[in-house]
Amino acid sequence: MINSIYLENSIREHPKARSILSRFPKANVLPCEHYKEVFNPAGQNFRLQKKNPALILAKQTGKLLHSIPPSYGVGGSRNFYFSHLLNCLYDCRYCFLQGMYPSAHFVHFINSEDFMSVIKQTTEESEEPSWFFSGYDCDSLALESITGFAGEFLPFFSKLPNAWLELRTKSANLQVLENQTPFDNVVIAFSFTPEEIGKQTEWKVPPLDSRIRAMKKAASMGWKVGWRIDPVIDSTDFKKRYEELFDSLLCNLPIQQLHSVSLGAFRMPSGFFKKMEKTYPSEPLFAGKLEKRAGMMAYEKNLEKNRLTTCENLLLQRIPKELLFSCKSPVV
Amino acid sequence: MNLVVALQKEANPIIQAYGLDKEQGCPLPFYFKENRRLIISGIGRARVSAATAYLMGRFPEKNQPWLNLGIAGHGSLNTGQMFVAGRIIETGSSQCFYPPQIITSEVPVSELTTCGKPQKKYQPNMGYDMEAHAFYQTACLVSTRELVQVLKVVSDNPKQPISQFKPEQASKWIEAKLPEIDHWITELTEAALSIKPNPEINKLLSRITQRGGFSTTRSLQMGSLLRQADALGEDLGALEGMLTDVGSPKQMLAEIEQILSNKRTLP
């Protein structure tokens, strides 16, 4: 799966780097001074690289924690995201990463000790619970076999009761959760789209039914579970498809085990969209009923409102109001 | 596919294998057949830059595959072994290139240093040539980095230093690697095709805008609509037919928008 690995010179002897390298004895390993030398140059093609992405092992020396956009939280008032990994194993056509990053290579920051240190420090700064979202620039669990991220961070968060961790994923492989005793301050947040839409837009993603089974299993183990209905994608039979999805989710999860549901429309900065459109010129999704508003590409205003309201109403017929969170787009 | 090779002896097996014909009257030896082109640059960064730029000028289409092929020294690999450059540095330069490796292949990936003169000292796991850095720098001006690659066959190493190298061996080594070289040429060509926009869109755009009255903005709008029509599975020929009797550019844009409006929702 990984044929090429780039390794920052400064972490050549880092035990985690050595451990990862030992798992890929056949990979070609190349040195680099800084991951940005490989990742950032202009003139790369995300689509071509996605066929065979390399792994870059690096140390994050920049900012380790970032504030999340206002209204993207799920109940907390202190919200941050952090990225142990840039890019995703999956290939969802609606994903903003393909417009944001110049490269499809996976960048794995191995200095988890630095992330943990800043998370601990930030948590201790306030008596208010702090939320840490790990799946903004990647899927939290899809590359667990390489990164060992959750295996490392779950025990850490288990000893930090005033800090919440969201693991956001489309993975159906939750072995790492089986190896850990569940605890309260973690939410396993599964992203879902209706099956018919997923088949048109989500490549390399496990089938919906296996992800629903994974969600059910996580809940049965005692983990708190979240649904992330974001982005909402317009399609024919929209209401019916989302209704079926929500019913199917609810059938497989007792409501008391649902921590939160978040809902967000398809939207992204127009610069990202332009790049994605150029990368995939034949993608029907990008020829949808979209418009540019305040520097963002999103569905036409009325359509967006209609689709979000439809989903919101469908959800509120099934879940308590306090569990539903709307990721309000900055689009006006 | 554009092949840039320093020496005639390195190029001969490729020319024969693909049955390339020599074009007379070119400033540099140039061979071609259909969409395969090979130019012999001569040794060194200035010559390879000039040869690459010459091909770029003659065949300006963007995102074509480019391959620099030849012999090189290496600190660890055996003579006759082929490698692909995964990191290209140049003596005296801080600029470093990492050609993204998208082709699945058994060919090892190695670092490569481009030098001003043949190297007599070898570092482990390092290749040495005299062109790759300049070639990569130049070809990447017109092609995405994944489609620009450097393949080298090892001609000398610490056990068999360059003083023992006989130029006629170059042809034999390249010839022995023809199946692997062909795999790379095929794969790069397919990769380039996979990202090539539908050429019919620009042809249609050109025909439509030639009717006159199109401002720059309207031309851009028309190009965008035609791309969307193609993405939505609209038959471009039929679309052109529907526009036959439509008058102004504004009306044409409105007409296409109308045709597409019912198809913009994902099925």
Side-chain angles (χ1 to χ4, degrees):
Chain A
M1 173 189 143
I2 297 289
N3 297 318
S4 297
I5 300 177
Y6 300 94
L7 178 65
E8 280 187 352
N9 286 327
S10 67
I11 56 164
R12 263 187 306 194
E13 301 305 324
H14 194 291
K16 201 166 171 198
R18 296 182 74 86
S19 161
I20 292 171
L21 289 176
S22 71
R23 275 176 271 154
F24 297 96
K26 290 185 178 171
N28 295 291
V29 181
L30 291 161
C32 63
E33 274 308 309
H34 195 279
Y35 80 91
K36 289 181 179 175
E37 288 176 4
V38 184
F39 194 72
N40 278 13
Q44 301 186 77
N45 188 291
F46 195 96
R47 181 175 172 180
L48 288 176
Q49 286 187 16
K50 199 74 190 167
K51 290 178 184 170
N52 196 8
L55 174 65
I56 305 173
L57 298 178
K59 181 177 180 178
Q60 177 57 283
T61 53
K63 202 173 172 188
L64 297 165
L65 275 187
H66 308 264
S67 296
I68 68 166
S71 93
Y72 277 31
V74 284
S77 57
R78 288 167 52 80
N79 297 300
F80 308 90
Y81 76 90
F82 67 105
S83 300
H84 70 290
L85 183 69
L86 309 182
N87 271 323
C88 182
L89 179 66
Y90 309 131
D91 191 12
C92 301
R93 200 52 66 241
Y94 49 69
C95 179
F96 70 96
L97 294 179
Q98 59 197 335
M100 186 167 78
Y101 290 140
S103 165
H105 293 331
F106 306 121
V107 182
H108 175 37
F109 298 116
I110 62 163
N111 49 324
S112 41
E113 60 279 7
D114 295 331
F115 285 104
M116 287 176 181
S117 169
V118 72
I119 287 169
K120 190 166 185 285
Q121 188 188 330
T122 304
T123 303
E124 287 168 353
E125 280 168 7
S126 171
E127 288 179 3
E128 281 285 305
S130 298
W131 275 82
F132 299 94
F133 296 81
S134 67
Y136 271 44
D137 296 330
C138 63
D139 183 290
S140 297
L141 297 177
L143 280 180
E144 181 66 19
S145 63
I146 296 175
T147 65
F149 164 71
E152 239 185 318
F153 276 72
L154 284 173
F156 168 73
F157 272 89
S158 72
K159 292 173 191 150
L160 214 56
N162 208 28
W164 284 76
L165 172 67
E166 184 197 83
L167 297 173
R168 189 176 293 201
T169 191
K170 286 195 181 93
S171 177
N173 180 358
L174 305 182
Q175 204 180 344
V176 65
L177 300 181
E178 294 172 32
N179 301 335
Q180 173 78 35
T181 307
F183 52 96
D184 277 347
N185 49 320
V186 170
V187 176
I188 317 298
F190 293 87
S191 299
F192 292 113
T193 44
E195 188 169 22
E196 301 84 349
I197 298 173
K199 280 180 178 168
Q200 296 177 72
T201 56
E202 297 172 348
W203 310 109
K204 304 183 189 175
V205 175
L208 178 65
D209 59 350
S210 61
R211 287 186 281 141
I212 291 177
R213 278 200 303 275
M215 172 195 75
K216 189 177 179 179
K217 193 174 175 187
S220 72
M221 284 186 269
W223 296 100
K224 287 195 168 91
V225 163
W227 301 342
R228 302 294 174 253
I229 315 299
D230 186 0
V232 168
I233 303 288
D234 182 36
S235 82
T236 52
D237 292 333
F238 178 87
K239 187 177 176 188
K240 180 172 165 278
R241 288 174 177 180
Y242 274 88
E243 191 164 24
E244 280 173 6
L245 171 68
F246 300 152
D247 281 341
S248 174
L249 294 177
L250 204 57
C251 264
N252 286 282
L253 187 77
I255 196 77
Q256 61 272 21
Q257 289 186 261
L258 181 63
H259 172 271
S260 54
V261 179
S262 64
L263 191 63
F266 174 69
R267 76 284 183 198
M268 72 180 60
S270 62
F272 293 3
F273 183 84
K274 203 178 273 185
K275 188 182 160 221
M276 286 160 61
E277 205 181 15
K278 201 176 166 191
T279 306
Y280 296 95
S282 300
E283 174 53 53
L285 178 69
F286 303 151
K289 293 177 179 173
L290 303 167
E291 64 183 12
K292 186 175 168 182
R293 305 202 302 272
M296 299 285 283
M297 284 301 285
Y299 283 119
E300 291 166 5
K301 202 169 181 177
N302 287 338
L303 178 66
E304 180 185 277
K305 191 176 172 190
N306 174 288
R307 294 322 192 203
L308 286 176
T309 306
T310 302
C311 282
E312 205 171 296
N313 290 339
L314 289 171
L315 283 165
L316 289 176
Q317 287 160 16
R318 290 161 177 81
I319 63 164
K321 193 178 176 185
E322 56 274 18
L323 295 190
L324 182 60
F325 298 89
S326 288
C327 297
K328 296 254 174 10
S329 144
V331 175
V332 288
Chain B
M1 166 56 71
N2 297 307
L3 291 143
V4 182
V5 183
L7 301 170
Q8 184 76 48
K9 281 191 164 51
E10 295 169 321
N12 284 341
I14 307 286
I15 294 166
Q16 283 166 18
Y18 291 125
L20 305 182
D21 298 316
K22 186 169 188 180
E23 188 176 282
Q24 302 301 325
C26 287
L28 292 165
F30 173 66
Y31 298 80
F32 71 99
K33 187 168 193 180
E34 294 161 0
N35 59 353
R36 288 191 178 126
R37 306 162 198 132
L38 184 150
I39 195 159
I40 297 174
S41 65
I43 293 172
R45 73 167 290 130
R47 288 190 175 94
V48 79
S49 294
T52 307
Y54 174 77
L55 280 189
M56 282 160 52
R58 275 196 62 176
F59 306 99
E61 190 185 328
K62 282 200 162 190
N63 291 331
Q64 297 178 58
W66 291 81
L67 191 59
N68 174 221
L69 183 68
I71 55 170
H74 202 279
S76 303
L77 298 177
N78 294 326
T79 54
Q81 207 173 344
M82 189 160 80
F83 67 91
V84 59
R87 179 173 188 252
I88 307 171
I89 53 179
E90 185 177 41
T91 48
S93 166
S94 59
Q95 198 171 21
C96 183
F97 300 115
Y98 298 85
Q101 297 303 312
I102 58 163
I103 309 295
T104 305
S105 156
E106 294 296 313
V107 175
V109 183
S110 172
E111 292 182 73
L112 177 66
T113 301
T114 297
C115 313
K117 56 185 180 183
Q119 284 297 295
K120 293 173 186 169
K121 289 181 181 172
Y122 304 85
Q123 284 177 23
N125 304 315
M126 179 63 78
Y128 299 92
D129 88 328
M130 296 174 70
E131 291 86 25
H133 193 275
F135 161 79
Y136 199 82
Q137 188 173 34
T138 311
C140 284
L141 296 173
V142 290
S143 203
T144 184
R145 288 168 186 253
E146 296 76 16
L147 299 178
V148 183
Q149 297 290 339
V150 175
L151 278 179
K152 298 282 172 177
V153 181
V154 178
S155 57
D156 51 281
N157 60 23
K159 285 182 192 163
Q160 291 171 276
I162 195 155
S163 55
Q164 294 174 19
F165 170 67
K166 292 174 184 147
E168 57 272 20
Q169 285 176 320
S171 292
K172 287 179 186 166
W173 280 326
I174 301 277
E175 191 176 359
K177 293 295 171 191
L178 278 174
E180 282 161 291
I181 293 167
D182 183 59
H183 171 72
W184 276 78
I185 289 174
T186 305
E187 292 285 316
L188 286 172
T189 304
E190 281 176 11
L193 279 174
S194 74
I195 59 165
K196 191 176 175 178
N198 180 358
E200 294 308 314
I201 296 170
N202 278 346
K203 286 181 195 166
L204 177 56
L205 177 64
S206 176
R207 286 197 297 274
I208 290 174
T209 53
Q210 272 170 12
R211 293 190 203 174
F214 275 86
S215 64
T216 305
T217 304
R218 294 243 194 271
S219 292
L220 289 171
Q221 287 171 337
M222 180 58 81
S224 175
L225 274 181
L226 292 180
R227 277 189 293 278
Q228 290 179 358
D230 188 50
L232 294 169
E234 194 66 22
D235 182 325
L236 294 180
L239 192 68
E240 186 176 16
M242 288 180 216
L243 295 177
T244 310
D245 298 324
V246 182
S248 72
K250 189 178 174 184
Q251 287 170 321
M252 280 191 229
L253 290 167
E255 179 73 17
I256 300 177
E257 191 62 75
Q258 177 61 36
I259 292 166
L260 298 186
S261 64
N262 294 328
K263 301 184 174 176
R264 288 186 183 278
T265 305
L266 276 190

